[in-house]
Amino acid sequence: MHSPQRPSSSDDFGASYLERGWEPPEEVVLRRELVRTPGLQPEDIGVLAELLLRDPRLPSTMEAIRRDMQAQGWKMGKDRFNAIAARLTKAGHLARVSVYDETTQRPTWATRVYRNPANNEQYVDLGIAASQQVSGEVRETRDSQPSGSRETRVSPGQSRNAENPRSGAGSRKTRDPETRVSPGQSRNAENPRSGVHPPHPPEEEDSSSSG
């Protein structure tokens, strides 16, 4: 029979490491730029908040979560839920990833939820790739134009960079971030993907909402 542990001395306390005790989420912070993310609907914000409040120690399929929402009185048909998930994925709040299941000892699909898309590596990588592709297309278009027509083919807001065909892409990181990203994505302004949404499967985009 083990004897109860004695209280630690002050020396033991000073040498101990701090750990964050697990607590189920009790609140969700919805910042202005999150709520006003372009492309999201009011119901998307509610579903995102519900997903962030779920106890991650209790694994559950997305279909089971949808039924739980219905049990709470939410009008959440499959088509509506899929459409919401598609918009949240496009905005970087959801990611579908392959993970290893210890029980079945096989890889399986998991949907991860993020309050801040900057922490979603999948979204960041897709956005960077899309941004680089757009930058390359812009450079190719500019380089193909006659040098004498550069001042006349740019908008007034861009004329200051007309003498340098690459300045639009090369100076992207040095400009004021707030001038080149939308309000809904200003939280990730330091990342070149901020102004570009990653590609998304079109079949999910066309999902119709139903009650």
Side-chain angles (χ1 to χ4, degrees):
M1 192 172 179
H2 296 288
S3 58
Q5 276 190 330
R6 292 178 299 173
S8 300
S9 66
S10 59
D11 290 341
D12 292 339
F13 173 75
S16 65
Y17 290 94
L18 177 67
E19 292 182 353
R20 176 67 184 267
W22 168 252
E23 298 171 317
E26 297 178 355
E27 62 183 11
V28 176
V29 178
L30 302 177
R31 299 179 61 188
R32 179 191 300 269
E33 55 266 31
L34 187 156
V35 174
R36 296 184 177 177
T37 300
L40 291 187
Q41 299 301 311
E43 61 182 352
D44 303 344
I45 305 299
V47 169
L48 176 61
E50 174 66 20
L51 295 177
L52 291 170
L53 284 172
R54 291 186 69 86
D55 189 340
R57 296 175 302 179
L58 305 175
S60 179
T61 65
M62 296 301 288
E63 174 60 20
I65 292 174
R66 184 189 68 82
R67 291 196 298 266
D68 286 348
M69 292 179 182
Q70 284 185 324
Q72 296 178 44
W74 292 33
K75 295 181 178 179
M76 195 56 60
K78 288 185 178 182
D79 288 345
R80 169 175 284 183
F81 189 56
N82 289 340
I84 292 172
R87 290 191 294 267
L88 289 175
T89 300
K90 185 175 181 180
H93 293 289
L94 294 181
R96 192 165 179 249
V97 296
S98 178
V99 297
Y100 184 75
D101 189 330
E102 293 288 349
T103 303
T104 62
Q105 296 186 345
R106 297 180 60 182
T108 186
W109 288 108
T111 299
R112 289 179 181 168
V113 58
Y114 296 88
R115 184 185 66 85
N116 187 346
N119 299 321
N120 181 351
E121 293 183 6
Q122 185 180 93
Y123 179 72
V124 170
D125 292 342
L126 287 173
I128 290 176
S131 178
Q132 290 174 343
Q133 181 179 359
V134 170
S135 299
E137 292 173 354
V138 170
R139 286 196 298 270
E140 183 178 351
T141 301
R142 289 179 177 178
D143 291 342
S144 65
Q145 294 288 336
S147 57
S149 63
R150 283 177 183 167
E151 284 295 337
T152 60
R153 64 185 169 80
V154 295
S155 63
Q158 296 172 323
S159 61
R160 63 184 181 280
N161 296 326
E163 69 280 0
N164 184 358
R166 297 175 61 99
S167 60
S171 63
R172 184 172 287 134
K173 292 183 180 179
T174 58
R175 292 186 205 153
D176 180 6
E178 295 299 326
T179 63
R180 61 180 178 82
V181 297
S182 61
Q185 295 174 326
S186 61
R187 62 189 180 279
N188 299 324
E190 72 279 358
N191 194 300
R193 67 170 172 76
S194 301
V196 181
H197 285 301
H200 194 71
E203 63 273 10
E204 292 184 13
E205 288 294 328
D206 297 334
S207 300
S208 58
S209 299
S210 64

